[in-house]
Amino acid sequence: MTISKTMTRDVVTPVTIVTFVVSTVTGVMLLLHWNTGLVRFSHEWLSMAFSAIALWHLVKNWRAFLGYLKRYAAQAAFVASIVVSVAFTGMTGTTGGGSVNPGAVFGALSGATLDAAAPALGLTPDKAVEVLKAANIDAAPGETLTAIGERAGKNGAAVASLLAGKRAH
């Protein structure tokens, strides 16, 4: 067996598995906003290690990769994943260098009263009460989304998200 095959099987494969798992776990932790301590640092740097190994693998197997791309299903999957990635990044990213937390908007709305939050979510206060009633959630226009959510076993952000999903188009 050559050094290259030994290195791939005995070193690169285990390192790839570990960096993939750690990147996935820390990514979920960041998504859930549990990013204290070393989580963000670990995620960013181990993702870089995973990316470097993946790039090395791509270069090493370039001919096989080109062979895959001769198949229609692989081409479609490749293009679809690029389109979805670019669209998702465009919808959630910023150009100002600041961090983006889509949940922050809903979190900020949680303390607002329903009559103040409804217009920001594209609804009239009456329509918001109607939407919540249809979801078996009791609400009054003068109540905060947090108070409404607590009675329903939800948080204010969940109430805002429900309302945002029902806004007039």
Side-chain angles (χ1 to χ4, degrees):
M1 186 178 314
T2 67
I3 291 274
S4 180
K5 285 186 181 186
T6 301
M7 184 169 167
T8 299
R9 183 178 13 208
D10 296 340
V11 176
V12 175
T13 299
V15 170
T16 301
I17 292 167
V18 169
T19 56
F20 171 76
V21 169
V22 172
S23 181
T24 301
V25 169
T26 56
V28 170
M29 291 169 75
L30 289 170
L31 180 67
L32 298 174
H33 306 290
W34 186 22
N35 56 358
T36 59
L38 296 176
V39 173
R40 181 171 299 283
F41 179 83
S42 175
H43 178 76
E44 290 171 350
W45 284 102
L46 289 174
S47 292
M48 290 285 93
F50 177 71
S51 297
I53 292 167
L55 185 60
W56 174 81
H57 177 72
L58 179 65
V59 169
K60 186 173 178 347
N61 297 289
W62 185 248
R63 281 195 179 169
F65 177 70
L66 290 178
Y68 288 126
L69 287 181
K70 290 180 182 176
R71 300 180 194 146
Y72 176 74
Q75 291 171 1
F78 191 76
V79 169
S81 64
I82 288 174
V83 168
V84 168
S85 296
V86 168
F88 189 77
T89 301
M91 291 182 337
T92 60
T94 65
T95 57
S99 64
V100 172
N101 179 355
V105 174
F106 292 125
L109 284 171
S110 295
T113 60
L114 185 58
D115 50 0
L121 297 168
L123 300 168
T124 65
D126 290 338
K127 179 65 176 174
V129 169
E130 194 178 297
V131 166
L132 293 171
K133 187 174 183 175
N136 295 319
I137 299 173
D138 292 321
E143 294 180 291
T144 66
L145 300 188
T146 297
I148 294 167
E150 284 175 356
R151 267 198 319 276
K154 302 179 181 304
N155 61 30
V159 174
S161 184
L162 174 70
L163 292 170
K166 301 293 183 178
R167 70 176 211 251
H169 297 295

